[in-house]
Protein backbone atom coordinates (compact mmCIF):
# COMPACT_ATOMS: atom_id res chain seq x y z
CA UNK A 1 0.00 0.00 0.00
CA UNK A 2 1.41 3.35 -1.06
CA UNK A 3 0.45 6.70 0.45
CA UNK A 4 1.49 10.26 -0.28
CA UNK A 5 1.10 12.18 2.98
CA UNK A 6 0.95 15.98 3.08
CA UNK A 7 -0.60 18.61 5.34
CA UNK A 8 -0.78 22.26 6.36
CA UNK A 9 -1.06 23.89 2.94
CA UNK A 10 -2.62 27.04 4.47
CA UNK A 11 -3.87 28.19 1.07
CA UNK A 12 -4.46 31.95 1.05
CA UNK A 13 -1.78 32.73 3.64
CA UNK A 14 0.44 35.82 3.48
CA UNK A 15 3.83 36.47 5.07
CA UNK A 16 4.39 39.99 6.40
CA UNK A 17 1.78 41.19 3.90
CA UNK A 18 3.30 39.31 0.93
CA UNK A 19 0.75 37.08 -0.83
CA UNK A 20 1.99 33.51 -1.24
CA UNK A 21 -0.65 31.98 -3.53
CA UNK A 22 1.75 31.66 -6.49
CA UNK A 23 4.40 30.14 -4.22
CA UNK A 24 1.82 27.64 -2.98
CA UNK A 25 0.80 26.76 -6.54
CA UNK A 26 4.47 26.22 -7.43
CA UNK A 27 4.91 23.78 -4.53
CA UNK A 28 1.64 21.97 -5.27
CA UNK A 29 2.69 21.42 -8.89
CA UNK A 30 5.65 19.49 -7.45
CA UNK A 31 3.28 17.50 -5.24
CA UNK A 32 1.30 16.52 -8.33
CA UNK A 33 4.54 15.47 -10.06
CA UNK A 34 5.48 13.40 -7.01
CA UNK A 35 2.10 11.67 -7.22
CA UNK A 36 2.68 10.93 -10.92
CA UNK A 37 6.06 9.37 -10.17
CA UNK A 38 5.11 7.49 -7.00
CA UNK A 39 1.59 6.39 -8.03
CA UNK A 40 0.20 6.13 -4.48
CA UNK A 41 -2.99 4.29 -3.67
CA UNK A 42 -4.12 7.45 -1.91
CA UNK A 43 -3.03 11.01 -1.19
CA UNK A 44 -3.67 11.87 2.47
CA UNK A 45 -4.06 15.58 3.34
CA UNK A 46 -3.99 15.93 7.12
CA UNK A 47 -5.69 19.25 7.68
CA UNK A 48 -5.22 23.02 7.49
CA UNK A 49 -5.89 23.01 3.79
CA UNK A 50 -6.90 26.67 4.01
CA UNK A 51 -5.40 29.34 6.24
CA UNK A 52 -8.76 30.53 7.52
CA UNK A 53 -12.33 29.34 7.73
CA UNK A 54 -13.50 31.68 4.96
CA UNK A 55 -10.74 31.39 2.33
CA UNK A 56 -10.17 33.89 -0.50
CA UNK A 57 -11.42 32.91 -3.99
CA UNK A 58 -7.91 32.27 -5.36
CA UNK A 59 -7.28 29.73 -2.58
CA UNK A 60 -10.51 27.88 -3.41
CA UNK A 61 -9.58 27.88 -7.10
CA UNK A 62 -6.12 26.46 -6.34
CA UNK A 63 -7.55 23.65 -4.21
CA UNK A 64 -10.05 22.84 -6.97
CA UNK A 65 -7.19 22.63 -9.49
CA UNK A 66 -5.01 20.36 -7.34
CA UNK A 67 -7.80 17.97 -6.38
CA UNK A 68 -8.95 17.77 -10.01
CA UNK A 69 -5.41 16.88 -11.12
CA UNK A 70 -5.06 14.18 -8.46
CA UNK A 71 -8.53 12.64 -8.71
CA UNK A 72 -9.55 13.17 -12.34
CA UNK A 73 -6.13 13.46 -13.96
CA UNK A 74 -4.31 10.68 -12.07
CA UNK A 75 -7.27 8.51 -10.93
CA UNK A 76 -6.08 8.60 -7.32
CA UNK A 77 -8.00 8.38 -4.08
CA UNK A 78 -7.65 11.53 -1.97
CA UNK A 79 -8.41 11.54 1.76
CA UNK A 80 -8.82 15.02 3.22
CA UNK A 81 -9.53 16.09 6.80
CA UNK A 82 -10.12 19.60 8.17
CA UNK A 83 -7.59 21.14 10.56
CA UNK A 84 -8.02 23.84 13.16
CA UNK A 85 -7.76 26.58 10.49
CA UNK A 86 -10.49 25.04 8.30
CA UNK A 87 -14.26 25.25 8.40
CA UNK A 88 -15.51 21.67 8.61
CA UNK A 89 -18.81 22.48 6.92
CA UNK A 90 -17.35 24.47 4.03
CA UNK A 91 -14.58 21.96 3.36
CA UNK A 92 -17.04 19.06 3.40
CA UNK A 93 -19.48 20.62 0.90
CA UNK A 94 -20.80 17.95 -1.50
CA UNK A 95 -18.59 15.31 0.17
CA UNK A 96 -21.15 12.50 -0.31
CA UNK A 97 -21.25 13.19 -4.03
CA UNK A 98 -17.49 13.56 -4.35
CA UNK A 99 -16.82 10.27 -2.55
CA UNK A 100 -18.14 8.40 -5.58
CA UNK A 101 -15.25 9.94 -7.51
CA UNK A 102 -12.55 8.86 -5.00
CA UNK A 103 -12.43 12.17 -3.10
CA UNK A 104 -13.05 11.34 0.57
CA UNK A 105 -13.59 14.41 2.78
CA UNK A 106 -14.15 13.90 6.50
CA UNK A 107 -16.01 16.77 8.07
CA UNK A 108 -19.68 17.57 8.28
CA UNK A 109 -21.04 16.62 11.74
CA UNK A 110 -18.99 13.44 12.16
CA UNK A 111 -16.20 12.48 14.53
CA UNK A 112 -14.50 10.12 12.07
CA UNK A 113 -14.76 8.50 8.67
CA UNK A 114 -13.52 5.08 7.48
CA UNK A 115 -12.15 4.77 3.92
CA UNK A 116 -11.62 1.34 2.40
CA UNK A 117 -8.75 0.99 -0.10
CA UNK A 118 -8.04 -2.10 -2.18
CA UNK A 119 -4.32 -1.85 -2.94
CA UNK A 120 -2.19 -4.20 -5.03
CA UNK A 121 -0.78 -5.71 -1.82
CA UNK A 122 -4.18 -6.20 -0.21
CA UNK A 123 -6.80 -4.04 1.51
CA UNK A 124 -6.08 -1.17 3.84
CA UNK A 125 -8.43 1.03 5.86
CA UNK A 126 -7.82 4.70 6.57
CA UNK A 127 -9.40 6.22 9.66
CA UNK A 128 -9.89 9.91 8.85
CA UNK A 129 -10.24 11.91 12.07
CA UNK A 130 -11.23 15.57 11.57
CA UNK A 131 -9.84 18.11 14.02
CA UNK A 132 -12.24 18.30 16.97
CA UNK A 133 -12.47 21.07 19.50
CA UNK A 134 -13.44 19.58 22.88
CA UNK A 135 -16.79 21.40 22.74
CA UNK A 136 -17.51 19.87 19.31
CA UNK A 137 -16.49 16.42 20.55
CA UNK A 138 -18.89 16.69 23.49
CA UNK A 139 -21.76 17.46 21.13
CA UNK A 140 -20.92 15.07 18.27
CA UNK A 141 -19.95 12.10 20.45
CA UNK A 142 -22.58 12.76 23.11
CA UNK A 143 -19.92 12.78 25.85
CA UNK A 144 -20.41 15.84 28.10
CA UNK A 145 -17.48 14.84 30.34
CA UNK A 146 -14.84 15.48 27.63
CA UNK A 147 -12.82 18.50 28.79
CA UNK A 148 -9.65 18.68 26.68
CA UNK A 149 -8.13 17.69 23.35
CA UNK A 150 -6.66 14.42 24.58
CA UNK A 151 -9.95 13.26 26.04
CA UNK A 152 -11.73 14.19 22.80
CA UNK A 153 -9.17 12.34 20.66
CA UNK A 154 -9.28 9.22 22.84
CA UNK A 155 -13.09 9.16 22.78
CA UNK A 156 -13.27 9.54 18.98
CA UNK A 157 -10.66 6.81 18.47
CA UNK A 158 -12.40 4.48 20.90
CA UNK A 159 -15.70 4.86 19.09
CA UNK A 160 -14.08 4.47 15.67
CA UNK A 161 -12.03 1.41 16.59
CA UNK A 162 -15.14 -0.32 17.88
CA UNK A 163 -15.96 -0.62 14.16
CA UNK A 164 -12.44 -1.81 13.28
CA UNK A 165 -12.36 -4.90 11.07
CA UNK A 166 -8.69 -5.93 11.42
CA UNK A 167 -5.88 -5.77 8.90
CA UNK A 168 -3.79 -2.72 8.07
CA UNK A 169 -5.09 0.54 9.47
CA UNK A 170 -3.78 4.04 8.81
CA UNK A 171 -4.80 7.06 10.89
CA UNK A 172 -5.07 10.58 9.47
CA UNK A 173 -5.34 13.16 12.29
CA UNK A 174 -4.69 16.82 13.05
CA UNK A 175 -3.27 17.28 16.54
CA UNK A 176 -0.35 18.49 18.63
CA UNK A 177 1.30 15.29 19.85
CA UNK A 178 3.43 15.78 22.97
CA UNK A 179 7.12 15.57 22.10
CA UNK A 180 6.67 17.19 18.70
CA UNK A 181 8.71 20.30 17.92
CA UNK A 182 6.49 23.28 17.08
CA UNK A 183 7.30 26.28 14.89
CA UNK A 184 6.19 29.86 15.51
CA UNK A 185 3.83 29.90 12.50
CA UNK A 186 1.26 27.51 14.02
CA UNK A 187 -1.90 28.61 15.75
CA UNK A 188 -2.17 27.26 19.30
CA UNK A 189 -4.89 24.64 19.72
CA UNK A 190 -6.04 25.96 23.09
CA UNK A 191 -6.01 29.13 25.15
CA UNK A 192 -4.49 28.76 28.59
CA UNK A 193 -3.33 25.17 28.01
CA UNK A 194 -1.09 23.14 25.77
CA UNK A 195 -3.72 21.35 23.70
CA UNK A 196 -1.23 18.46 23.47
CA UNK A 197 -2.17 14.78 23.35
CA UNK A 198 -0.09 11.88 24.63
CA UNK A 199 1.70 9.73 21.99
CA UNK A 200 0.16 6.55 23.36
CA UNK A 201 -3.20 7.72 21.94
CA UNK A 202 -1.83 6.76 18.52
CA UNK A 203 -0.62 3.23 19.24
CA UNK A 204 -1.69 0.30 17.08
CA UNK A 205 -1.72 1.88 13.62
CA UNK A 206 0.48 0.90 10.67
CA UNK A 207 1.06 4.59 9.99
CA UNK A 208 -0.20 7.83 11.55
CA UNK A 209 -0.40 10.71 9.05
CA UNK A 210 -0.33 13.81 11.24
CA UNK A 211 -0.98 17.45 10.54
CA UNK A 212 -0.62 20.66 12.59
CA UNK A 213 3.12 20.99 13.30
CA UNK A 214 4.95 22.72 10.44
CA UNK A 215 8.30 20.94 10.82
CA UNK A 216 8.55 17.51 9.14
CA UNK A 217 9.34 15.08 11.97
CA UNK A 218 8.69 11.77 13.66
CA UNK A 219 7.08 11.69 17.10
CA UNK A 220 7.16 8.85 19.60
CA UNK A 221 8.05 6.30 16.94
CA UNK A 222 8.73 6.16 13.23
CA UNK A 223 5.14 5.30 12.38
CA UNK A 224 3.83 8.63 13.73
CA UNK A 225 4.84 11.30 11.23
CA UNK A 226 4.25 14.98 10.58
CA UNK A 227 4.75 15.73 6.90
CA UNK A 228 5.19 19.41 7.77
CA UNK A 229 3.83 22.51 6.05
CA UNK A 230 3.82 23.11 2.30
CA UNK A 231 5.96 26.27 2.60
CA UNK A 232 8.04 28.11 5.16
CA UNK A 233 5.48 30.34 6.83
CA UNK A 234 7.86 32.11 9.22
CA UNK A 235 11.43 33.37 9.06
CA UNK A 236 12.11 31.12 12.04
CA UNK A 237 11.59 28.24 9.58
CA UNK A 238 14.13 29.58 7.08
CA UNK A 239 16.52 26.64 7.57
CA UNK A 240 13.83 23.96 7.36
CA UNK A 241 13.42 21.71 4.30
CA UNK A 242 9.77 21.34 3.32
CA UNK A 243 8.69 18.02 1.85
CA UNK A 244 5.94 15.44 1.38
CA UNK A 245 6.04 11.91 2.77
CA UNK A 246 6.08 8.92 0.42
CA UNK A 247 5.01 5.87 2.44
CA UNK A 248 4.99 2.18 1.56
CA UNK A 249 3.26 -0.29 3.90
CA UNK A 250 4.06 -3.96 3.29
CA UNK A 251 1.35 -6.65 3.67
CA UNK A 252 2.71 -7.63 7.10
CA UNK A 253 2.74 -3.97 8.19
CA UNK A 254 6.42 -3.01 7.86
CA UNK A 255 7.00 0.56 6.75
CA UNK A 256 9.27 2.44 4.37
CA UNK A 257 9.26 6.24 4.43
CA UNK A 258 10.88 8.77 2.12
CA UNK A 259 10.65 12.55 2.46
CA UNK A 260 10.49 14.10 -1.01
CA UNK A 261 11.74 17.72 -0.91
CA UNK A 262 9.69 20.62 -2.25
CA UNK A 263 11.63 23.42 -3.94
CA UNK A 264 10.37 26.91 -3.06
CA UNK A 265 9.55 29.41 -5.79
CA UNK A 266 11.14 32.10 -3.60
CA UNK A 267 13.46 31.17 -0.77
CA UNK A 268 13.13 32.65 2.72
CA UNK A 269 16.42 34.03 3.99
CA UNK A 270 17.64 35.86 7.08
CA UNK A 271 20.51 38.27 6.40
CA UNK A 272 22.56 40.39 8.74
CA UNK A 273 25.28 42.95 8.16
CA UNK A 274 26.06 46.64 7.99
CA UNK A 275 23.89 48.75 5.73
CA UNK A 276 26.70 49.88 3.43
CA UNK A 277 27.98 46.31 3.01
CA UNK A 278 24.53 44.99 2.10
CA UNK A 279 24.03 47.82 -0.40
CA UNK A 280 27.46 47.33 -1.92
CA UNK A 281 27.10 43.62 -2.74
CA UNK A 282 24.46 40.91 -2.52
CA UNK A 283 25.61 38.10 -0.18
CA UNK A 284 26.55 34.80 -1.90
CA UNK A 285 23.62 32.49 -2.60
CA UNK A 286 20.97 35.20 -2.25
CA UNK A 287 18.64 35.68 -5.21
CA UNK A 288 17.05 39.05 -5.97
CA UNK A 289 13.56 37.56 -5.62
CA UNK A 290 14.17 35.89 -2.24
CA UNK A 291 11.89 36.87 0.64
CA UNK A 292 14.18 38.51 3.18
CA UNK A 293 14.42 39.37 6.84
CA UNK A 294 17.38 41.71 7.40
CA UNK A 295 19.13 42.53 10.66
CA UNK A 296 21.27 45.68 10.45
CA UNK A 297 24.40 45.70 12.61
CA UNK A 298 24.94 49.46 12.37
CA UNK A 299 25.11 51.29 15.68
CA UNK A 300 23.81 54.56 14.26
CA UNK A 301 20.32 55.02 12.80
CA UNK A 302 20.22 54.62 9.01
CA UNK A 303 18.03 57.12 7.19
CA UNK A 304 15.19 55.48 5.21
CA UNK A 305 16.92 52.10 5.48
CA UNK A 306 13.99 49.93 4.32
CA UNK A 307 13.25 51.91 1.15
CA UNK A 308 16.92 52.07 0.18
CA UNK A 309 17.48 48.35 0.82
CA UNK A 310 14.47 47.50 -1.36
CA UNK A 311 16.28 49.05 -4.33
CA UNK A 312 18.60 46.04 -4.17
CA UNK A 313 16.30 43.57 -2.35
CA UNK A 314 12.73 44.17 -3.62
CA UNK A 315 11.21 41.46 -1.39
CA UNK A 316 12.53 42.77 1.93
CA UNK A 317 9.72 41.89 4.35
CA UNK A 318 11.31 42.46 7.77
CA UNK A 319 13.96 44.87 8.99
CA UNK A 320 15.46 45.18 12.45
CA UNK A 321 18.38 47.06 13.98
CA UNK A 322 19.17 45.65 17.43
CA UNK A 323 21.59 48.46 18.32
CA UNK A 324 18.65 50.86 18.43
CA UNK A 325 17.05 48.68 21.10
CA UNK A 326 20.10 48.67 23.38
CA UNK A 327 19.64 48.59 27.17
CA UNK A 328 18.16 51.87 28.31
CA UNK A 329 16.72 52.70 24.89
CA UNK A 330 13.18 51.77 25.87
CA UNK A 331 13.04 53.82 29.03
CA UNK A 332 10.60 56.70 29.31
CA UNK A 333 12.27 60.01 28.43
CA UNK A 334 11.26 62.81 30.83
CA UNK A 335 9.38 65.71 29.38
CA UNK A 336 11.80 68.52 28.43
CA UNK A 337 11.95 71.57 30.66
CA UNK A 338 12.13 75.14 29.36
CA UNK A 339 15.91 75.26 29.72
CA UNK A 340 16.56 72.39 27.30
CA UNK A 341 17.74 73.59 23.87
CA UNK A 342 17.96 71.55 20.66
CA UNK A 343 21.34 70.07 21.57
CA UNK A 344 20.13 68.88 24.97
CA UNK A 345 16.99 67.39 23.46
CA UNK A 346 18.96 65.48 20.84
CA UNK A 347 21.54 64.28 23.37
CA UNK A 348 18.73 62.96 25.54
CA UNK A 349 17.08 61.28 22.53
CA UNK A 350 20.37 59.72 21.39
CA UNK A 351 21.04 58.32 24.86
CA UNK A 352 17.58 56.71 24.91
CA UNK A 353 18.03 55.16 21.46
CA UNK A 354 21.71 54.16 21.46
CA UNK A 355 22.18 53.51 25.17
CA UNK A 356 25.27 55.77 25.33
CA UNK A 357 26.09 59.51 25.22
CA UNK A 358 27.19 61.32 22.09
CA UNK A 359 30.89 61.01 21.27
CA UNK A 360 32.88 64.22 20.83
CA UNK A 361 33.01 63.76 17.03
CA UNK A 362 29.27 63.15 16.83
CA UNK A 363 28.57 66.20 19.01
CA UNK A 364 30.72 68.37 16.73
CA UNK A 365 28.82 67.13 13.64
CA UNK A 366 25.50 67.89 15.31
CA UNK A 367 26.59 71.38 16.39
CA UNK A 368 27.65 72.14 12.81
CA UNK A 369 24.29 70.92 11.46
CA UNK A 370 22.35 72.99 14.01
CA UNK A 371 24.43 76.07 13.19
CA UNK A 372 23.63 75.66 9.50
CA UNK A 373 19.92 75.41 10.33
CA UNK A 374 20.12 78.64 12.34
CA UNK A 375 21.74 80.43 9.38
CA UNK A 376 19.00 79.19 7.04
CA UNK A 377 16.31 80.41 9.45
CA UNK A 378 17.94 83.85 9.64
CA UNK A 379 18.09 84.15 5.85
CA UNK A 380 14.45 83.15 5.39
Amino acid sequence: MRLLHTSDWHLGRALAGERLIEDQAYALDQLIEAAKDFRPDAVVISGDVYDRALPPPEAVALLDHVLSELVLGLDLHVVLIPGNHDSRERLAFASRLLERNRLHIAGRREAFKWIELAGASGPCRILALPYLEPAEAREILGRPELEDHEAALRAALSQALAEEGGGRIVLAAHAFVAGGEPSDSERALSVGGTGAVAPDCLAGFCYVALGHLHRAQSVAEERCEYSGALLKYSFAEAEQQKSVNLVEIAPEGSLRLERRPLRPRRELRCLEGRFDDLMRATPPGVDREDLLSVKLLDERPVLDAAARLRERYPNLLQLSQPALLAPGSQGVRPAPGPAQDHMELFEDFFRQVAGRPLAAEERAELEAALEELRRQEQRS
Side-chain angles (χ1 to χ4, degrees):
M1 178 64 61
R2 291 185 165 196
L3 303 174
L4 189 157
H5 168 209
T6 178
S7 72
D8 295 272
W9 294 358
H10 290 277
L11 301 183
R13 190 160 186 156
L15 175 63
E18 180 73 13
R19 296 174 67 253
L20 299 175
I21 195 72
E22 292 183 17
D23 302 79
Q24 292 169 329
Y26 186 84
L28 287 169
D29 283 344
Q30 295 171 64
L31 183 148
I32 294 168
E33 286 301 314
K36 286 180 182 177
D37 296 341
F38 187 58
R39 297 302 306 178
D41 295 287
V43 175
V44 180
I45 308 170
S46 298
D48 283 353
V49 179
Y50 293 126
D51 191 54
R52 55 183 185 268
L54 188 60
E58 60 269 22
V60 178
L62 179 54
L63 179 61
D64 177 72
H65 165 72
V66 175
L67 294 179
S68 297
E69 289 293 316
L70 294 173
V71 174
L72 302 179
L74 299 179
D75 292 326
L76 299 177
H77 287 271
V78 173
V79 177
L80 189 157
I81 64 171
N84 57 301
H85 281 250
D86 299 308
S87 163
R88 296 164 59 93
E89 290 76 13
R90 289 188 178 94
L91 202 60
F93 172 75
S95 57
R96 285 176 291 181
L97 296 174
L98 296 170
E99 190 159 13
R100 297 184 180 182
N101 231 358
R102 300 179 301 282
L103 177 53
H104 312 275
I105 303 175
R108 302 181 64 82
R109 301 302 293 171
E110 58 193 357
F112 59 87
K113 186 183 191 72
W114 282 104
I115 295 99
E116 304 273 355
L117 297 178
S121 61
C124 180
R125 303 179 82 202
I126 298 179
L127 173 56
L129 207 66
Y131 171 75
L132 280 176
E133 287 284 353
E136 291 178 305
R138 289 193 289 270
E139 179 183 348
I140 294 172
L141 296 172
R143 299 278 299 275
E145 76 279 9
L146 302 177
E147 294 185 354
D148 57 26
H149 287 81
E150 181 170 321
L153 180 64
R154 289 186 184 276
L157 285 172
S158 175
Q159 185 171 321
L161 292 175
E163 305 175 9
E164 188 262 318
R168 293 177 296 179
I169 305 177
V170 170
L171 172 65
H174 194 89
F176 177 21
V177 180
E181 185 177 353
S183 302
D184 68 351
S185 60
E186 299 137 2
R187 180 187 298 166
L189 295 184
S190 66
V191 177
T194 65
V197 302
D200 67 353
C201 294
L202 311 175
F205 295 95
C206 293
Y207 180 74
V208 180
L210 291 167
H212 180 61
L213 297 185
H214 289 181
R215 180 190 296 272
Q217 59 190 292
S218 304
V219 289
E221 56 177 289
E222 184 187 31
R223 296 175 183 273
C224 299
E225 295 284 339
Y226 284 101
S227 61
L230 184 70
L231 298 179
K232 303 170 185 180
Y233 289 122
S234 162
F235 283 106
E237 300 173 35
E239 299 303 318
Q240 293 182 18
Q241 172 64 64
K242 299 304 181 182
S243 57
V244 297
N245 287 359
L246 306 181
V247 183
E248 290 189 60
I249 306 171
E252 77 281 2
S254 62
L255 187 74
R256 190 179 76 84
L257 171 69
E258 175 190 349
R259 298 197 195 278
R260 176 153 168 164
L262 298 174
R263 302 180 313 278
R265 172 174 171 261
R266 297 180 294 178
E267 188 58 85
L268 258 68
R269 299 192 187 278
C270 299
L271 304 183
E272 62 178 50
R274 295 190 175 277
F275 177 82
D276 289 342
D277 294 337
L278 292 171
M279 289 298 290
R280 188 178 301 114
T282 302
V286 176
D287 186 87
R288 177 177 170 80
E289 296 304 316
D290 287 345
L291 305 176
L292 300 183
S293 174
V294 172
K295 180 193 292 184
L296 291 180
L297 303 181
D298 301 75
E299 295 182 358
R300 298 184 181 186
V302 179
L303 180 64
D304 208 10
R308 292 162 67 189
L309 281 168
R310 286 194 179 99
E311 295 174 4
R312 178 174 283 274
Y313 309 100
N315 292 323
L316 171 65
L317 302 185
Q318 290 183 355
L319 178 65
S320 64
Q321 191 172 350
L324 300 188
L325 298 175
S329 66
Q330 297 185 28
V332 178
R333 179 168 61 87
Q340 285 185 295
D341 61 11
H342 291 94
M343 176 62 76
E344 291 173 327
L345 285 171
F346 187 84
E347 284 184 312
D348 190 18
F349 168 77
F350 187 87
R351 188 178 295 106
Q352 296 290 326
V353 170
R356 63 175 178 83
L358 279 169
E361 180 184 354
E362 293 166 337
R363 184 182 178 87
E365 290 177 4
L366 179 59
E367 287 175 339
L370 290 173
E371 183 60 32
E372 178 60 28
L373 284 173
R374 292 190 193 99
R375 291 196 193 100
Q376 291 178 10
E377 288 175 354
Q378 290 171 358
R379 289 196 296 264
S380 61

